[in-house]
Amino acid sequence: MKFYRGVILNPKSDTVCEFMPDGVLVVSGPAGRAKIEAVLTWDRAQEKYGKAIRASNTFDFRDSVILPGFFDMHFHWVQDEVRTMPKDSLLQWLEKYTFPAEARFSDPAFAKARAREFFKRLARVGTFGGAIFSSIHDCALSAAMKESKGNFVIGNVLMTMNSPNELTQTEEEAIALTRKLLKKFGKRFAFTPRFAISTSPGVMKEGARLADRAGCFKQSHLSENLQEIDFTLSLYRGLRGFQKVKSYTEIYQSTGMLGSRSLLAHGIHLSRAELRILSRTRTAIIHCPTSNAPISEQGLGSGLFDFKKTERAGVRWALGSDIGGGPVLSMFDVMRSFVEQNARAGVKGASCIKALYRATLAGAEILGVSKQTGNFKKGKDATFLVVSLPGQGKPSQSTDAQSLLARILRTPGLDREAFDRLVQLSLYRGRIAV
Ligand code: GUN
Ligand code: FE
């Protein structure tokens, strides 16, 4: 057994986060497969484990915070280079910067080298689960599958129309690749039509059928931006079988893209009727606040996601960074943006506790792995982060989870990339990850 002593934060729901100013995470089992044995106060641990607690198996992080690894439920690992490129509008940013950047991943050596570097950085910021978009290329997906460490589903985007030549596949190629990768990677594979604009309905239909049959996740983008929605509807109303389609959501509904294993990023401009469809089909929305943020904050200016309306409609949701739409990899920055944007808009209820839940356990629940990971509980994976708060007094002086989290999310001031350096140490299943 190993004892990790520190200030423990254990997210449980939108309103509850366990807080132990002097707590211990008790971990047992071999590194790489280690599980949580108990989460308790240092005093209780002394009583319960007595002499089993020795200097040699105890790690003293009393000046640091211990919290579970993050789930980033929507990001593009192939967009690292365009995170901070000028973002005037979604469709222009895609054409001008993003597509050319993704095209470079056709080179296997390049893809391999980039994957090695990117996924090391992902572990360093404490993300050990989520849903990932890759480029259209087989070799980039394989590199991501090889280098990623955690509970991830990953898919190659499919682009069969309205896309630049070097990124355009035929429908036959898209389906053949889907079959091949589904077979090769099983449930780690996610069927990933980029969005309705770029993927023909026939490909979505056939791929969704294959994914459902294999029990795989499906993911795409939905209702991110008004210009995108207009273009999508006018495009589809000109296609056979879609002349009478009423909404963006209905396009995905009629191509089989919705369901309990469906993750749709953004969902900012949804009608009540659309939310009803998403709720009924148990489709999850992935909210990406740093990507949706104003252009002055290096976002795409897509608007503010209405989490209250979404929750009232009974639609499940979790947080994502949407790298490169979002500029910073750390989920701390995503949490901060969610809290700050809602506070600025006068929306109540976007607490730090809620942000932490939506960046951890909520993602694990949506991916169907919450029995095994997502927060601290006996029997779950020993996947956790040790976070230091430079120069701000001891975290143990905080009186509750909300105020401690508020302090963490304030730490770097204007330098948002400093969030990427907050994690001192991360352990994945009991093994030091980076
Ligand atoms: N919609 C279609 N593709 C993309 C993408 O790469 N990023 C974002 N933010 N939205 C998209
Ligand atoms: Fe995205």
Side-chain angles (χ1 to χ4, degrees):
M1 267 186 304
K2 288 188 172 131
F3 300 87
Y4 297 89
R5 181 179 185 183
V7 183
I8 292 181
L9 285 175
N10 187 17
K12 302 213 160 167
S13 71
D14 277 325
T15 52
V16 180
C17 179
E18 195 174 10
F19 169 73
M20 291 183 194
D22 189 8
V24 196
L25 205 57
V26 186
V27 169
S28 66
R33 276 184 296 140
K35 304 272 184 205
I36 292 163
E37 183 65 36
V39 198
L40 68 186
T41 64
W42 178 250
D43 290 344
R44 271 289 292 134
Q46 294 282 324
E47 290 168 28
K48 189 163 172 193
Y49 296 98
K51 288 207 180 69
I53 305 179
R54 298 181 302 271
S56 60
N57 62 10
T58 303
F59 301 84
D60 189 349
F61 294 118
R62 260 179 290 175
D63 290 337
S64 302
V65 183
I66 298 176
L67 71 170
F70 289 122
F71 276 73
D72 183 344
M73 292 295 287
H74 176 84
F75 64 101
H76 305 251
W77 87 270
V78 290
Q79 292 181 13
D80 197 39
E81 264 109 313
V82 297
R83 291 183 293 123
T84 52
M85 290 300 180
K87 294 168 182 166
D88 326 314
S89 85
L90 169 66
L91 299 179
Q92 282 82 341
W93 170 77
L94 286 175
E95 299 237 336
K96 206 163 159 190
Y97 302 107
T98 310
F99 293 157
E102 289 190 19
R104 297 170 67 196
F105 285 82
S106 62
D107 172 2
F110 177 79
K112 215 182 268 182
R114 296 299 298 135
R116 244 182 248 136
E117 191 272 332
F118 178 86
F119 287 101
K120 207 174 281 172
R121 211 142 44 77
L122 192 66
R124 201 166 287 144
V125 302
T127 298
F128 292 104
I132 311 180
F133 281 48
S134 195
S135 61
I136 64 165
H137 314 99
D138 191 348
C139 65
L141 184 80
S142 297
M145 288 284 187
K146 179 159 182 283
E147 299 297 332
S148 56
K149 192 183 301 179
N151 293 93
F152 292 104
V153 296
I154 319 177
N156 53 307
V157 290
L158 298 169
M159 301 169 74
T160 58
M161 57 185 197
N162 303 303
S163 303
N165 283 339
E166 67 276 23
L167 290 179
T168 300
Q169 311 154 293
T170 66
E171 298 192 7
E172 292 70 29
E173 280 166 350
I175 291 295
L177 197 52
T178 300
R179 282 185 193 279
K180 176 183 161 188
L181 296 171
L182 241 169
K183 197 162 165 204
K184 185 167 172 193
F185 296 111
K187 291 203 165 94
R188 296 177 66 208
F189 175 78
F191 175 61
T192 311
R194 182 173 204 118
F195 60 166
I197 292 174
S198 73
T199 316
S200 32
V203 170
M204 286 201 271
K205 254 184 209 159
E206 178 61 6
R209 190 183 70 79
L210 294 169
D212 286 348
R213 201 175 62 184
C216 284
F217 275 83
K218 301 172 281 193
Q219 55 180 352
S220 194
H221 294 92
L222 168 67
S223 284
E224 177 173 5
N225 157 303
L226 296 172
Q227 189 194 5
E228 171 218 9
I229 297 167
D230 278 351
F231 183 38
T232 305
L233 288 173
S234 65
L235 181 70
Y236 273 76
R237 283 171 185 155
L239 296 180
R240 200 148 50 95
F242 290 89
Q243 289 91 341
K244 296 217 171 80
V245 79
K246 286 201 277 298
S247 67
Y248 201 158
T249 300
E250 278 189 17
I251 293 170
Y252 287 141
Q253 185 178 32
S254 61
T255 51
M257 277 299 294
L258 307 184
S260 61
R261 283 195 212 88
S262 172
L263 316 169
L264 297 177
H266 306 300
I268 297 177
H269 310 278
L270 295 172
S271 67
R272 279 181 210 291
E274 290 182 278
L275 283 166
R276 263 198 305 278
I277 297 173
L278 296 175
S279 169
R280 224 182 305 127
T281 55
R282 300 201 69 239
T283 304
I285 295 179
I286 310 307
H287 168 38
C288 308
T290 52
S291 167
N292 304 156
I295 291 165
S296 60
E297 292 167 32
Q298 292 185 291
L300 288 158
S302 305
L304 186 61
F305 173 70
D306 192 336
F307 73 88
K308 289 200 160 161
K309 189 164 117 186
T310 305
E311 288 175 15
R312 271 199 303 273
V315 177
R316 304 182 300 156
W317 72 274
L319 286 168
S321 70
D322 195 26
I323 290 292
V328 178
L329 192 58
S330 170
M331 288 303 287
F332 284 124
D333 185 55
V334 175
M335 290 164 57
R336 175 205 59 78
S337 181
F338 168 72
V339 171
E340 277 183 13
Q341 286 190 68
N342 279 291
R344 217 187 304 145
V347 180
K348 297 236 163 41
S351 68
C352 298
I353 288 177
K354 186 184 191 75
L356 181 61
Y357 165 65
R358 298 285 170 175
T360 55
L361 186 59
E365 286 167 347
I366 288 169
L367 283 183
V369 294
S370 60
K371 279 205 172 70
Q372 168 196 335
T373 186
N375 68 353
F376 300 143
K377 196 174 175 185
K378 183 178 163 65
K380 288 199 183 188
D381 290 347
T383 299
F384 60 94
L385 322 175
V386 178
V387 169
S388 58
L389 297 186
Q392 291 208 18
K394 292 191 193 317
S396 53
Q397 289 163 349
S398 291
T399 53
D400 57 80
Q402 173 64 27
S403 62
L404 175 54
L405 278 165
R407 274 180 55 198
I408 298 174
L409 299 184
R410 258 201 319 264
T411 298
L414 289 174
D415 175 16
R416 290 167 59 188
E417 304 239 349
F419 280 116
D420 287 349
R421 301 186 290 271
L422 269 188
V423 175
Q424 224 176 299
L425 183 72
S426 60
L427 281 90
Y428 175 65
R429 298 180 177 169
R431 176 176 282 152
I432 292 176
V434 277

